[in-house]
Amino acid sequence: MAVLFGTAAVVLVRYGRFARPPALELRYTEITELTDNGKVREMAISPNGLSLAYAKDEGLEQSLWLKRIDTGNETQLLTADTVNFAGLEFSPDGHFLYFARSEKSNPVFGYLCRMPAEGGSVEQLIRDADTPVSFSPNGKQLVYTRGYPRRTIVEVRVANVDGTDDHLLATVAGNEVFDSGPTWSPKNDSIAVSAHLTGQRRRFALYLISLPKAIQTELYSSEGAIGRPLWIEGGRGLIVTLKDPNSHRGQLWTVSTSSGEAHRVTNDRTDYDSAIDLTQDGKRVAVIANGAASNLWIAGASDLSHPSQVTSGEPTLYQVRELPDGRLIAMGTGAWIMNKDGTNRVPVRSLDHPEWIEPCGRFLLAVTSTNGKKILTRAANDGSNETVLTSGDVLFPACSQDRQFAYYLNAVHPEKIRKISMADGSISEIGDVLGDTLFGNIVVSPDGKYLAYPYQQYSPPVVELAVIPSGGGTPINEFQVPGFLGTLRWSPDGKALHYVLTSNGASNIWEQPLSTLKPKQLTHFASGEIFDFSWTSDHEHLLMTRGQSRRDVILLSHLH
């Protein structure tokens, strides 16, 4: 279906200067849905705009498809397998499809591969490639990036299109987890790449790397994520997705390569993904549109697979916990307090853009974000009387059993477990996160004796749950899990760990007993996603935020 799309441009003021009119306008732009399955992982549009290649999520597996945009015919290029696609791109002549993909035997490291665009055998070109490639103007070379765990750097690398002569061009600072990919300018004078800078002030930066001397210039920075930059206007500008840190929605912007000024192109309620792609003539842009609907559900402990839906429609809710008085606090793009049946819902307006909420006795712990800085706040359970405990790199605070402390993690290497006093904000270190990187939230056992958290190890590749004494020390248990697990919680009796696992298009809660290596499935949903869950204090009910996310490709045509 195609519709005409019009918008009023919103201009970003940077460094106190008013920007000139945007290079792109969408007044006469046509928007077309290219997919409707809701499961697109990565995508690329062919240079002539006639074909779309996309990776499709199928539970723990992914498949590769080619769709003819003019006819709507689809062909499966690669059957579903336990691999992960990290980027797709057509060769300049459209004859080959390049992609970064993990292998079954090594799900962590990506391999740069190519295959005929219409289907055929897969050729592995380069080991350890993390992003889609971009080609030099003459089509003889390509550029990609490679992240390095525990070093907070990203390598920008260049190779021939057949993978030979792979070499380092430049190293930029950035967290290896965020990697949207570099692009080569049509003038052959620079390469654009975005990176995520972590630490006391978390921000995203857009760099230009000049050729041939590889001199780096920071062109633009933002609190919100900066997606893959693509060249427009013959190299005079870039089009990117910028994520609004308040609404958590991505929108399309242009950035001038001469002044660094940014101009908003779209202004709607769509959440545009960081992965975008342009046709060769620059008049059509393909982008993944994200969407989700999530509501509050409650299940009785004796029948977890038949919950009752408590809320419906807006606001979309992603996290839920019980307050000491029996009411619930739930979080989406804001925070709300409500009764267990969803009635008397009131917003917690005092919390500024909350990202994580944790009840802690008579207090409420909240991680908020201001000017790129994470702030851990202690407040009353209604959100009033806020006190800043600490700021900087704060992730997933969890309340101690005696309600006197909170444990939390950090994302900057070396990743550590820290303990902070609820009274005076004093901080002590519990220990280092195991493996190469953390993989989720930390939780405190009901008796307060143990901490548990997931971590990822790259060689050999594995995701494990670690259970350690709350004072730190050697793990008392480690359990391997099948990757990509969601929220982690303790069972009410403290004898097991519960986590979310999504498979075959549905999320379910699994239990990992401490006394055995074999987990068991607790819920048996055939569809839908579980975004968060927690147990009520009486252990009689399971709270869940549950719904469905969608990722589909849309095409914006006739850009001016």
Side-chain angles (χ1 to χ4, degrees):
M1 179 183 68
V3 295
L4 291 179
F5 179 81
T7 184
V10 177
V11 178
L12 175 72
V13 180
R14 191 167 184 259
Y15 304 134
R17 298 176 295 167
F18 286 96
R20 295 188 300 275
L24 293 181
E25 295 183 2
L26 295 186
R27 190 174 306 166
Y28 305 108
T29 296
E30 187 178 83
I31 294 184
T32 308
E33 282 189 353
L34 297 186
T35 65
D36 61 2
N37 58 58
K39 299 178 180 180
V40 176
R41 171 78 177 189
E42 297 284 348
M43 64 85 202
I45 192 168
S46 62
N48 60 12
L50 296 180
S51 298
L52 174 78
Y54 68 92
K56 181 180 178 183
D57 268 323
E58 302 189 34
L60 294 177
E61 300 180 329
Q62 294 179 23
S63 55
L64 187 62
W65 295 77
L66 183 73
K67 180 173 184 176
R68 291 284 301 186
I69 295 175
D70 52 350
T71 66
N73 294 333
E74 290 189 283
T75 304
Q76 189 175 50
L77 300 178
L78 296 174
T79 57
D81 210 339
T82 51
V83 297
N84 180 46
F85 287 89
L88 304 176
E89 187 67 16
F90 283 90
S91 61
D93 59 11
H95 293 163
F96 287 93
L97 183 62
Y98 285 72
F99 50 87
R101 184 192 66 172
S102 67
E103 295 294 338
K104 291 174 62 175
S105 60
N106 194 344
V108 175
F109 284 98
Y111 296 79
L112 180 61
C113 305
R114 71 176 177 183
M115 66 181 299
E118 298 297 328
S121 60
V122 175
E123 180 183 6
Q124 191 176 104
L125 303 180
I126 296 173
R127 182 182 183 274
D128 199 1
D130 296 329
T131 62
V133 302
S134 176
F135 295 92
S136 61
N138 64 10
K140 294 182 179 180
Q141 292 178 294
L142 56 83
V143 61
Y144 71 98
T145 59
R146 175 186 294 168
Y148 279 88
R150 294 189 175 272
R151 293 173 60 189
T152 60
I153 62 169
V154 174
E155 286 189 351
V156 181
R157 302 184 66 87
V158 171
N160 294 329
V161 294
D162 62 358
T164 60
D165 192 28
D166 176 26
H167 62 276
L168 176 68
L169 174 68
T171 299
V172 299
N175 190 316
E176 80 283 351
V177 174
F178 175 84
D179 219 345
S180 62
T183 52
W184 210 308
S185 75
K187 296 180 180 179
N188 198 32
D189 59 356
S190 56
I191 286 170
V193 63
S194 57
H196 184 198
L197 307 178
T198 56
Q200 283 295 313
R201 180 173 178 256
R202 301 165 69 91
R203 63 189 178 94
F204 293 81
L206 178 59
Y207 294 102
L208 289 185
I209 302 172
S210 65
L211 299 175
K213 295 185 178 180
I215 299 173
Q216 297 178 35
T217 302
E218 184 176 318
L219 182 66
Y220 181 78
S221 68
S222 168
E223 289 181 44
I226 302 175
R228 183 188 183 198
L230 298 178
W231 295 86
I232 58 173
E233 300 292 317
R236 295 191 299 272
L238 296 161
I239 184 169
V240 297
T241 303
L242 295 184
K243 181 78 73 172
D244 186 324
N246 299 331
S247 68
H248 303 287
R249 289 196 299 267
Q251 294 285 297
L252 295 177
W253 292 67
T254 59
V255 180
S256 168
T257 54
S258 59
S259 68
E261 293 175 343
H263 310 271
R264 188 166 182 164
V265 177
T266 60
N267 185 17
D268 56 52
R269 295 182 62 82
T270 303
D271 177 20
Y272 296 104
D273 192 73
S274 61
I276 61 176
D277 203 12
L278 275 172
T279 55
Q280 201 166 50
D281 60 12
K283 294 182 179 180
R284 287 161 289 181
V285 59
V287 59
I288 297 174
N290 296 310
S294 178
N295 291 289
L296 174 62
W297 298 69
I298 298 182
S302 60
D303 190 10
L304 296 181
S305 293
H306 294 89
S308 299
Q309 185 172 344
V310 175
T311 64
S312 179
E314 295 290 338
T316 291
L317 303 175
Y318 292 113
Q319 188 185 5
V320 60
R321 299 302 303 271
E322 184 187 40
L323 294 171
D325 62 7
R327 292 184 299 167
L328 306 180
I329 185 165
M331 189 190 76
T333 53
W336 291 265
I337 293 176
M338 68 190 78
N339 295 331
K340 280 185 181 176
D341 61 3
T343 60
N344 296 329
R345 185 171 65 204
V346 294
V348 185
R349 301 188 187 280
S350 56
L351 296 179
D352 186 24
H353 312 308
E355 297 182 357
W356 187 266
I357 291 177
E358 178 83 3
C360 194
R362 61 190 180 95
F363 293 119
L364 190 68
L365 288 167
V367 175
T368 60
S369 180
T370 302
N371 297 324
K373 181 182 291 186
K374 305 293 182 186
I375 299 174
L376 178 59
T377 300
R378 184 199 72 196
N381 279 312
D382 62 359
S384 63
N385 300 321
E386 294 176 85
T387 299
V388 174
L389 294 178
T390 189
S391 62
D393 192 16
V394 182
L395 294 175
F396 309 125
C399 187
S400 65
Q401 189 271 341
D402 61 9
R403 311 295 188 258
Q404 301 301 307
F405 300 90
Y407 299 89
Y408 68 91
L409 302 165
N410 73 294
V412 177
H413 296 301
E415 297 165 328
K416 294 183 179 295
I417 304 167
R418 295 190 172 105
K419 180 180 179 180
I420 187 168
S421 168
M422 295 287 288
D424 60 15
S426 59
I427 298 173
S428 58
E429 289 192 357
I430 300 300
D432 292 341
V433 172
L434 297 174
D436 290 301
T437 186
L438 64 91
F439 209 65
N441 63 297
I442 190 168
V443 285
V444 185
S445 64
D447 61 9
K449 294 181 179 180
Y450 303 106
L451 306 175
Y453 65 92
Y455 70 88
Q456 187 174 27
Q457 178 178 291
Y458 291 157
S459 183
V462 68
V463 175
E464 293 199 348
L465 296 175
V467 181
I468 66 171
S470 58
T474 304
I476 64 165
N477 291 98
E478 290 186 77
F479 304 99
Q480 187 171 335
V481 293
F484 304 110
L485 74 166
T487 303
L488 178 67
R489 302 288 184 201
W490 281 90
S491 63
D493 61 10
K495 296 180 180 181
L497 292 166
H498 293 166
Y499 59 85
V500 174
L501 181 66
T502 300
S503 179
N504 298 321
S507 295
N508 281 287
I509 298 173
W510 287 70
E511 179 176 86
Q512 175 60 67
L514 300 186
S515 59
T516 179
L517 293 178
K518 187 176 181 180
K520 66 177 181 179
Q521 189 171 342
L522 296 183
T523 64
H524 296 83
F525 300 120
S527 63
E529 295 178 59
I530 299 173
F531 297 99
D532 185 34
F533 72 96
S534 59
W535 288 94
T536 56
S537 58
D538 61 10
H539 308 166
E540 294 296 323
H541 293 90
L542 181 69
L543 311 172
M544 290 180 284
T545 53
R546 185 167 171 263
Q548 190 70 55
S549 60
R550 292 189 61 85
R551 288 170 57 87
D552 276 305
V553 184
I554 61 174
L555 182 69
L556 287 72
S557 306
H558 311 303
L559 297 179
H560 297 283

